[in-house]
Amino acid sequence: MSTISQPNCSHISHFLLSGIPYLEDFNLWLGILLILMYIVAVMGNSSILYIIQVNQELHGPMYIFLFMLSVLDLLIATNTMPRMLGIFWTDDKEIPFGNCLTQMFFIHFFSTLESGILLAMAVDRYVAICHPLRYSSILTNERIGMMFALMVGRGALVMVPLPFIINRFPEWKGNVLSHSYCLHQEIMKLACGDITVNIIYGLFINILVMGIDSLFISHSYLLIIKTVHGLVEDASMKAFGTCTAHICAVLIFYIPIIGVAVVHRFQNPTAPNLHILFGNVYLLVPPVTNPLIYGIKTNQIRIGFRKVYDKIIHQVKTSRNI
């Protein structure tokens, strides 16, 4: 690539993140909403981790995958929400170039891991419903560990090149990002130079990760529905009821992430802020809602939440009596 400067292009040392356009007067309240969401995400996911950790009967495959999902939701929330809070409350929008690329890598890497975990949870539900007698022999701890290692390896393999194919551009048209965090599909549009490689590689990642994962998740549920259809009504409803929390988590994750990818490539001038809405939902909503969904839909987790709540209330009453 040529290093000759193009008109309106220059070297940059940082990017400027953005809040939500036209809502600047509400930054204080948006910050309060954000910190409440962060508290709910941290407390909800930490409670699930604690419940699974202390209950020996919850050390089966389904709850091991839920443990992984909660850890990942904590990492995603911590990677994005505190930085966004600085934008709303202190107007601190500047992020160094290198820090932006690091955040970009981890956002996409964590998204890849979450997609893989949701696929593993679909496989878990398929085996539990379609092959219940072989459940414990198929999903052993060794195989679960191997599945997780493959998820991490795949995520690292496809995401490590992202910072490098961004860092290869010496000059930029500007440094203002429309999101409150760094995304590859937005950063590349500010580069001066041919971004064909970035577009093709980004599409390749979406197909290889999100596309294949969503295809296998859909196939798993087609097989589950086929199996459940052959059961008596009460048994089929009970069997499929174990899948409702996972289905909700899949929809909450995939609909916004597909929306972000589509809107960034085919922006509609009549809805210029649609990509910002999808982007915020894509990162902020799953860490908050996943603990609530599993707390409501999963009986063992719901009982665990009640025990944690009762324990906290008991400790508060004891401290007051002292």
Side-chain angles (χ1 to χ4, degrees):
M1 183 176 63
S2 175
T3 58
I4 299 176
S5 295
Q6 301 178 33
N8 302 320
C9 292
S10 61
H11 297 277
I12 61 172
S13 60
H14 63 272
F15 287 102
L16 293 176
L17 303 174
S18 300
I20 301 179
Y22 312 117
L23 295 180
E24 289 82 0
D25 293 339
F26 299 95
N27 276 355
L28 173 63
W29 297 107
L30 290 171
I32 292 173
L33 176 61
L34 185 67
I35 199 168
L36 289 175
M37 292 176 68
Y38 184 60
I39 291 171
V40 171
V42 171
M43 292 184 64
N45 286 289
S46 298
S47 297
I48 285 181
L49 295 179
Y50 173 78
I51 291 165
I52 295 174
Q53 180 67 32
V54 300
N55 289 279
Q56 190 68 32
E57 65 272 17
L58 300 184
H59 289 185
M62 173 182 173
Y63 298 101
I64 292 174
F65 291 131
L66 179 56
F67 189 94
M68 294 178 186
L69 184 66
S70 294
V71 170
L72 197 55
D73 281 340
L74 279 174
L75 293 174
I76 291 173
T78 302
N79 186 44
T80 55
M81 289 189 184
R83 187 67 186 81
M84 292 174 67
L85 192 61
I87 297 173
F88 291 122
W89 275 2
T90 66
D91 202 33
D92 180 16
K93 298 180 178 180
E94 185 175 307
I95 180 170
F97 187 89
N99 290 2
C100 188
L101 296 192
T102 301
Q103 186 190 58
M104 176 196 73
F105 168 79
F106 280 110
I107 286 175
H108 292 293
F109 177 64
F110 290 152
S111 296
T112 301
L113 283 185
E114 182 146 357
S115 179
I117 290 172
L118 290 173
L119 172 59
M121 295 174 86
V123 172
D124 168 80
R125 290 300 82 206
Y126 162 73
V127 176
I129 294 173
C130 300
H131 303 284
L133 299 179
R134 300 173 57 200
Y135 181 71
S136 58
S137 63
I138 293 175
L139 290 176
T140 61
N141 289 338
E142 291 77 12
R143 285 178 178 164
I144 291 172
M146 187 181 301
M147 290 168 69
F148 182 71
L150 288 173
M151 295 176 210
V152 174
R154 181 188 67 167
L157 187 65
V158 299
M159 293 304 170
V160 163
L162 278 186
F164 294 99
I165 63 176
I166 287 291
N167 197 45
R168 67 194 176 96
F169 296 106
E171 294 186 329
W172 302 80
K173 302 170 188 174
N175 67 341
V176 180
L177 302 174
S178 60
H179 287 295
S180 303
Y181 48 84
C182 301
L183 285 178
H184 171 258
Q185 52 263 49
E186 185 177 21
I187 296 174
M188 70 178 184
K189 293 180 181 179
L190 296 177
C192 285
D194 185 3
I195 62 171
T196 302
V197 171
N198 299 72
I199 294 173
I200 293 174
Y201 192 71
L203 185 62
F204 166 75
I205 290 175
N206 284 332
I207 294 173
L208 179 66
V209 178
M210 309 303 174
I212 292 179
D213 287 358
S214 60
L215 183 65
F216 277 109
I217 290 172
S218 300
H219 182 63
S220 296
Y221 274 103
L222 288 175
L223 295 175
I224 288 172
I225 291 171
K226 182 179 178 181
T227 300
V228 167
H229 184 69
L231 301 175
V232 295
E233 185 176 351
D234 289 343
S236 64
M237 291 299 294
K238 184 177 180 181
F240 201 73
T242 64
C243 302
T244 52
H246 178 254
I247 292 171
C248 292
V250 167
L251 293 176
I252 288 171
F253 175 77
Y254 276 104
I255 290 175
I257 204 170
I258 292 171
V260 168
V262 172
V263 170
H264 267 287
R265 284 170 172 78
F266 309 102
Q267 288 192 11
N268 188 346
T270 61
N273 295 326
L274 190 61
H275 67 293
I276 299 175
L277 173 64
F278 272 113
N280 287 331
V281 171
Y282 147 57
L283 278 185
L284 303 183
V285 172
V288 175
T289 56
N290 282 342
L292 301 177
I293 291 170
Y294 279 95
I296 294 171
K297 295 293 185 180
T298 308
N299 187 50
Q300 290 88 339
I301 298 297
R302 186 167 61 248
I303 293 171
F305 270 126
R306 192 177 299 119
K307 288 181 179 179
V308 170
Y309 175 78
D310 291 341
K311 184 177 181 180
I312 293 173
I313 295 299
H314 176 72
Q315 289 177 346
V316 170
K317 289 180 178 179
T318 303
S319 62
R320 283 181 178 177
N321 292 334
I322 293 174

